[in-house]
Amino acid sequence: MNRILAPAEKVDHQADQFLLAEADDDASCRILADRVPSFVATAELLDFEGSAEREIWWFPDALPLDVGRAGSIRHGGATTYFACEPAASFSRPGKYVTLDIRFGGVPDEAKAQEVLPGLLKDFLAFAERELRCGGGAGRK
């Protein structure tokens, strides 16, 4: 069996309340193997779409991924964003949510890259549902 996460003597998880109310609020869920983050999923609320787009291409090895508005996949992680509430004007910002998932120290990198797109799609569906953004509201 190919493992995605490295074996550990002790596995714990930590999770923030999934509540994004104001710009720059974030929430994350972490799986720790022997106190080292092995998997992290993070969501952050931003005011402007340009800020969300910059988050997607922050990683130099990122390649496009057809998830959300502008998904990307990279070594050990994947990122996307969606519009929960598009900006009406520059003076009336919107609600854009970036989603990022990443693995740390995976024993099978190929397997991790294989499962990342599906995990990101699931995270997107969860975030839209939990933040009540409407099914598909964040997609073009």
Side-chain angles (χ1 to χ4, degrees):
M1 178 176 143
N2 292 347
R3 295 178 183 259
I4 296 173
L5 301 179
E9 289 186 28
K10 184 175 182 191
V11 176
D12 291 308
H13 78 282
Q14 301 170 340
D16 300 329
Q17 184 178 6
F18 195 73
L19 177 63
L20 304 177
E22 297 181 23
D24 298 323
D25 279 354
D26 63 44
S28 64
C29 177
R30 296 162 296 285
I31 296 174
L32 298 107
D34 295 331
R35 294 189 277 185
V36 176
S38 291
F39 178 81
V40 180
T42 304
E44 181 178 12
L45 180 65
L46 300 170
D47 283 344
F48 298 99
E49 189 166 17
S51 298
E53 287 174 342
R54 279 190 295 278
E55 292 287 321
I56 302 306
W57 300 109
W58 186 259
F59 302 93
D61 64 337
L63 299 172
L65 182 64
D66 189 22
V67 177
R69 282 211 171 186
S72 69
I73 188 168
R74 64 190 182 279
H75 175 75
T79 306
T80 193
Y81 79 94
F82 66 98
C84 195
E85 182 182 311
S89 67
F90 186 75
S91 61
R92 199 167 136 227
K95 293 182 178 182
Y96 297 90
V97 180
T98 61
L99 304 173
D100 183 71
I101 56 178
R102 68 186 71 192
F103 290 106
V106 296
D108 187 340
E109 179 65 33
K111 182 69 172 171
Q113 294 302 108
E114 180 183 314
V115 301
L116 279 166
L119 287 173
L120 191 59
K121 285 178 187 176
D122 290 346
F123 193 16
L124 175 62
F126 167 82
E128 287 177 331
R129 181 181 70 247
E130 292 300 311
L131 296 174
R132 295 177 181 84
C133 294
R139 297 182 187 109
K140 282 187 175 177

